[in-house]
């Protein structure tokens, strides 16, 4: 802020002019002319569903051409933070994992992040937004499971070679190669 001190002399119009003095202090408060501008309109990040809590995922950045406090940007997550699994540092813009992720429940997040300047009253704060897309990367964290614990089958002793004894119904909730099931006979008595 800029301040000026003025000395004002008042003179009356009498036959013998008399004067008086007054001091005036003028404080010019800066106007908040600029909104923050993000370095990117969209940010992208990939994060493993096994990521350690507190790990930095991505950092957003915005600048504001106003001077002083009015040029300082504060960051918030405005929407898209389903389950509040992410947090943002209001000063640095670092987005971190706050709670465990699960690819099988939520595969991606689209966050709207606001950058708001610190307007000095009576100026009104200005803000802008950026999109942050976070793709959750699957890890092999689910065991295959079968619809039955025990499959029983009756087979005639004269059944031909390669006769299908039974059909298993098994699945794995993981994706890609992590969800592919291979079968092998690993034991038995015959």
């Amino acid at each position: 802020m800029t301040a000026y001190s003025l000395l004002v002399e008042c003179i009356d119009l009498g036959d013998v002019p008399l004067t008086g003095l007054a001091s005036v202090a003028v404080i010019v408060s800066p106007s908040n002319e600029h909104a923050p501008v993000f370095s990117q309109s969209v940010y992208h990040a990939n994060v493993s569903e096994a990521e350690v809590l507190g790990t930095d995922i991505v950092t957003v950045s915005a600048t504001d051409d106003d001077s002083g406090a009015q040029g300082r940007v504060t960051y918030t997550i405005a929407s898209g933070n389903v389950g509040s699994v992410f947090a943002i540092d209001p000063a640095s813009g670092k987005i971190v994992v706050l709670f465990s992720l699960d690819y099988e429940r939520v595969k991606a997040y689209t966050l709207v992040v606001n950058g708001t300047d610190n307007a000095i009253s009576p100026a009104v704060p200005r803000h802008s937004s950026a999109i942050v897309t976070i793709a959750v990367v699957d890890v092999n964290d689910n065991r295959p499971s079968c619809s039955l614990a025990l499959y029983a089958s009756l087979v005639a002793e004269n059944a031909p070679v390669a006769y299908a004894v039974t059909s298993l119904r098994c699945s794995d909730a993981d994706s890609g190669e992590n969800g592919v099931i291979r079968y092998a006979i690993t034991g038995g008595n015959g």
Side-chain angles (χ1 to χ4, degrees):
M1 281 194 263
T2 307
Y4 299 95
S5 295
L6 306 173
L7 183 60
V8 178
E9 181 180 42
C10 302
I11 304 171
D12 67 21
L13 299 176
D15 289 339
V16 177
L18 299 175
T19 62
L21 295 174
S23 294
V24 177
V26 177
I27 300 172
V28 180
S29 66
S31 62
N32 190 18
E33 299 174 308
H34 305 282
V37 176
F38 280 91
S39 61
Q40 300 172 217
S41 59
V42 179
Y43 294 80
H44 300 281
N46 295 324
V47 59
S48 166
E49 68 177 323
E51 195 63 64
V52 175
L53 303 183
T55 300
D56 296 350
I57 302 303
V58 63
T59 300
V60 297
S61 176
T63 56
D64 188 313
D65 286 341
D66 289 311
S67 62
Q70 294 190 134
R72 234 177 300 131
V73 179
T74 300
Y75 302 96
T76 57
I77 298 174
S79 65
N81 196 7
V82 177
S84 299
V85 295
F86 302 104
I88 190 166
D89 182 290
S92 70
K94 283 183 185 176
I95 297 175
V96 300
V97 177
L98 201 56
F99 292 104
S100 296
L101 302 170
D102 186 0
Y103 174 86
E104 287 74 32
R105 284 197 345 243
V106 181
K107 293 176 177 37
Y109 295 84
T110 301
L111 307 179
V112 176
V113 173
N114 284 344
T116 305
D117 62 20
N118 293 291
I120 299 170
S121 183
V124 176
R126 294 178 177 255
H127 78 276
S128 62
S129 300
I131 303 295
V132 179
T133 60
I134 300 172
V136 179
V137 178
D138 191 26
V139 297
N140 193 14
D141 62 342
N142 293 291
R143 292 182 177 281
S145 64
C146 298
S147 59
L148 299 174
L150 174 65
Y151 289 81
S153 182
L154 183 60
V155 179
E157 71 178 328
N158 62 347
V161 174
Y163 174 79
V165 175
T166 191
S167 179
L168 302 178
R169 289 191 186 108
C170 303
S171 63
D172 188 318
D174 290 313
S175 66
E177 283 295 312
N178 293 335
V180 175
I181 298 174
R182 291 177 183 83
Y183 299 88
I185 297 173
T186 60
N189 64 354

